[in-house]
């Protein structure tokens, strides 16, 4: 596999790319001559930009349509296509692709009509984390599992901005709340968000900081950083800065960014 081309497509969320990182690091470390491309969604593009050219080559597949996926496959002409989404269109794309080997997610959680098209699938690992299921790809192709790594390099500009924000606005012992998710129906309702803030800030006397893309001008007893940062600044604040003792939220992607902590980080992460 050392001179082969590998194309990887995962689910479209930020957390899905985070979960895939240990598998990609395993491929990069033990198949050093292979070219690895990852088809990223619009949501994943900021995180992917920190790894593009280092861990893999990032290619935008924003609308996730069959035509766009097929174009990526036919342009790159991978020897191996790892598709971890499980959608029917991605199974069809595999059949129409030039890839000699096509590996899909476990059959059991996939729709039956999509699973029928899967020539080769990962084994289902019941009771284990999704990361372990994804890393079973390494077992399947004979690559050793030597370490689990979730690291990514935040650009200096975002690091400087995050450090300045932490110094000016985030007191020691703060709790970060992330009220927004990628889907409006899952966003934290303002009423219960305020109730949570009241318990943490007023009753428990803990500083509370709101992190995310929107401001909440009516909230009381909280430091609202909403709208003042971007994804990479938030990622550094939550993951590397050590500014927060606890992170809680409804955005599983950002929670996974915060929760895949390095060995010198401490904290609790609640979703």
């Amino acid at each position: 596999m050392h001179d082969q081309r590998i194309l990887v497509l995962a689910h479209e969320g930020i957390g899905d790319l985070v979960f895939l990182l240990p598998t990609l690091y395993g491929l990069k470390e033990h198949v050093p001559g292979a070219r690895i491309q990852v088809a990223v969604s619009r949501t994943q593009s900021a995180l992917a930009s920190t790894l593009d050219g280092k861990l893999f080559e990032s290619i935008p597949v924003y609308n996730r349509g069959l035509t766009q996926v097929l174009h990526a496959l036919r342009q790159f002409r991978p020897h191996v296509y790892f598709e971890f989404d499980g959608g029917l269109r991605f199974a069809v794309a595999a059949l129409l692709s030039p890839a000699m080997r096509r590996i899909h997610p476990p059959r059991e959680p996939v729709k039956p009509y999509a699973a029928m098209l899967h020539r080769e699938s990962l084994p289902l690992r019941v009771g284990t984390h999704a990361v372990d299921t994804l890393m079973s790809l390494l077992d399947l192709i004979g690559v050793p599992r030597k370490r689990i790594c979730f690291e990514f390099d935040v650009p200096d500009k975002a690091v400087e901005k995050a450090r300045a924000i932490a110094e000016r606005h985030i007191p020691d012992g703060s709790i970060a709340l992330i009220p927004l998710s990628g889907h409006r129906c899952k966003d934290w309702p303002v009423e219960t968000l305020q109730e949570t803030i009241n318990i943490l800030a007023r009753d428990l006397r803990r500083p509370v900081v709101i992190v995310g893309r929107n401001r909440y001008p009516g909230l009381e007893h909280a430091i609202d950083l909403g709208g003042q940062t971007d994804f990479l600044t938030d990622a550094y604040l939550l993951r590397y800065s050590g500014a927060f003792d606890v992170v809680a939220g409804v955005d599983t992607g950002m929670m996974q960014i915060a929760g895949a902590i390095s060995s010198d980080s401490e904290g609790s992460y609640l979703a």
Side-chain angles (χ1 to χ4, degrees):
M1 289 185 63
H2 289 270
D3 59 349
Q4 294 194 5
R5 296 182 298 276
I6 303 169
L7 191 142
V8 182
L9 185 146
H11 283 292
E12 60 185 318
I14 293 171
D16 299 305
L17 183 54
V18 173
F19 286 168
L20 187 59
L21 291 182
T23 301
L24 294 172
Y25 274 110
L27 289 172
K28 185 70 173 179
E29 182 175 353
H30 297 289
V31 194
R35 283 185 63 193
I36 303 170
Q37 282 196 353
V38 176
V40 301
S41 68
R42 192 180 304 278
T43 304
Q44 297 166 338
S45 58
L47 176 58
S49 70
T50 69
L51 297 160
D52 192 9
K54 303 170 186 175
L55 182 59
F56 55 78
E57 301 171 25
S58 175
I59 54 171
V61 182
Y62 290 165
N63 68 19
R64 313 285 286 180
L66 176 60
T67 301
Q68 195 173 30
V69 175
L70 266 178
H71 176 75
L73 283 164
R74 289 173 174 171
Q75 188 172 46
F76 187 50
R77 300 190 64 80
H79 297 90
V80 185
Y81 172 43
F82 300 140
E83 179 269 305
F84 297 134
D85 184 283
L88 177 61
R89 62 187 178 278
F90 304 122
V92 172
L95 290 177
L96 299 176
S97 79
M100 294 180 288
R101 193 170 184 186
R102 310 155 200 152
I103 302 176
H104 302 270
R107 293 176 179 272
E108 290 82 356
V110 173
K111 297 288 186 183
Y113 47 79
M116 290 174 58
L117 303 180
H118 293 177
R119 176 181 297 178
E120 189 174 7
S121 300
L122 297 179
L124 179 65
R125 295 180 178 271
V126 179
T128 63
H129 196 278
V131 171
D132 186 65
T133 297
L134 291 171
M135 290 190 75
S136 66
L137 168 68
L138 303 179
D139 306 330
L140 205 61
I141 63 175
V143 171
R145 301 194 200 189
K146 289 193 175 179
R147 65 188 182 116
I148 295 179
C149 180
F150 295 96
E151 302 309 313
F152 56 91
D153 295 325
V154 179
D156 291 344
K157 185 176 180 180
V159 172
E160 292 171 6
K161 183 176 180 179
R163 287 174 174 170
I165 288 172
E167 183 177 350
R168 295 172 190 167
H169 302 293
I170 304 176
D172 291 341
S174 288
I175 296 174
L177 297 185
I178 307 171
L180 297 182
S181 72
H183 305 278
R184 185 172 297 179
C185 63
K186 297 180 181 179
D187 291 347
W188 203 326
V190 175
E191 297 78 10
T192 57
L193 178 60
Q194 183 65 71
E195 292 173 4
T196 303
I197 292 170
N198 290 344
I199 293 170
L200 296 172
R202 187 183 61 195
D203 300 341
L204 300 182
R205 301 185 182 280
R206 296 293 298 272
V208 176
V209 179
I210 304 298
V211 177
R213 63 183 180 274
N214 288 1
R215 291 190 64 82
Y216 291 82
L219 289 180
E220 299 177 342
H221 313 300
I223 300 166
D224 188 0
L225 296 181
Q228 301 182 50
T229 58
D230 53 32
F231 170 82
L232 292 175
T233 303
D234 288 344
Y236 185 85
L237 283 171
L238 295 170
R239 180 180 174 88
Y240 294 114
S241 72
F244 299 110
D245 285 357
V246 178
V247 179
V250 296
D251 185 340
T252 56
M254 293 308 294
M255 296 303 294
Q256 287 149 9
I257 288 284
I261 57 174
S262 56
S263 60
D264 58 351
S265 299
E266 297 181 359
S268 300
Y269 304 91
L270 311 171

